[in-house]
Amino acid sequence: PPMMPGTPNPSMAMEAFMDTAVVNGALYPNITVEPRAYRFRVLNAADDRFFNLQLYVADENVTTTDGRTNTEVKMVPAAPTAGFPADWPVDGRDGGVPDPATVGPSFIVIGSEGGFLPAPVVVPNQPVTWFSDPTAFNVGNVDKHALLLAPAERSDVIIDFSAYRNKTLILYNDGP
């Protein structure tokens, strides 16, 4: 711009909700871990996107067009079904929700961008749900969630992989 010649035009990233997150500079990264507990520092560095992070055991029955397996989360219809946990979404959303039978380890949150928490908090895997009462002031707001991170939020978490030897886990996001 003529008034600020050293500033690129545009000088900031605009709102963008893409479908592929970059993690430590890599698309679709993966890590092989031992069956024990690990500490992770998770930062949401997106400029506008929220993340509702969950872990699920990969669906071994799906093969991609290039022959890869263990790349997808098994989905089930989001409709009232016997056997669903009481807090599982039953809102009929397109594409369904992750199969509750494939839930991975919970997150044990020990800190945030504000420092360590006074005590660890166990955050189980939970697809996002919304307040749906059209007469309520907060209709459309997130009701239940797992590890929900807004832009610039950080969580220090411990994940115990000891029960998942030789399994592939997928970090799943359905954040709004």
Side-chain angles (χ1 to χ4, degrees):
M3 302 303 287
M4 297 178 287
T7 306
N9 186 13
S11 63
M12 63 179 235
M14 301 311 287
E15 209 173 51
F17 298 102
M18 305 303 174
D19 65 354
T20 306
V22 176
V23 179
N24 292 339
L27 295 173
Y28 304 109
N30 64 67
I31 182 173
T32 302
V33 297
E34 296 295 320
R36 64 178 181 83
Y38 285 83
R39 177 181 174 190
F40 294 92
R41 181 168 285 160
V42 184
L43 167 69
N44 179 352
D47 67 349
D48 248 338
R49 167 133 353 238
F50 279 64
F51 292 100
N52 180 43
L53 301 177
Q54 306 144 66
L55 288 166
Y56 295 96
V57 176
D59 187 353
E60 298 174 351
N61 298 317
V62 175
T63 304
T64 62
T65 56
D66 59 358
R68 294 177 296 134
T69 57
N70 293 323
T71 63
E72 301 297 325
V73 173
K74 182 178 181 186
M75 303 297 278
V76 294
T81 305
F84 270 62
D87 57 356
W88 217 251
V90 290
D91 56 13
R93 68 184 79 170
D94 289 342
V97 293
D99 185 345
T102 64
V103 166
S106 294
F107 298 96
I108 302 169
V109 181
I110 60 171
S112 69
E113 64 278 350
F116 286 111
L117 301 180
V121 176
V122 177
V123 177
N125 296 291
Q126 163 71 51
V128 73
T129 63
W130 291 271
F131 288 105
S132 57
D133 180 357
T135 64
F137 75 95
N138 58 348
V139 65
N141 286 357
V142 170
D143 176 24
K144 297 177 184 152
H145 54 80
L147 186 63
L148 186 67
L149 294 173
E153 284 188 331
R154 188 187 85 215
S155 268
D156 287 317
V157 299
I158 296 172
I159 303 172
D160 185 1
F161 297 102
S162 59
Y164 298 91
R165 178 184 294 274
N166 298 323
K167 297 282 185 186
T168 298
L169 294 171
I170 294 178
L171 183 63
Y172 179 82
N173 169 48
D174 66 357

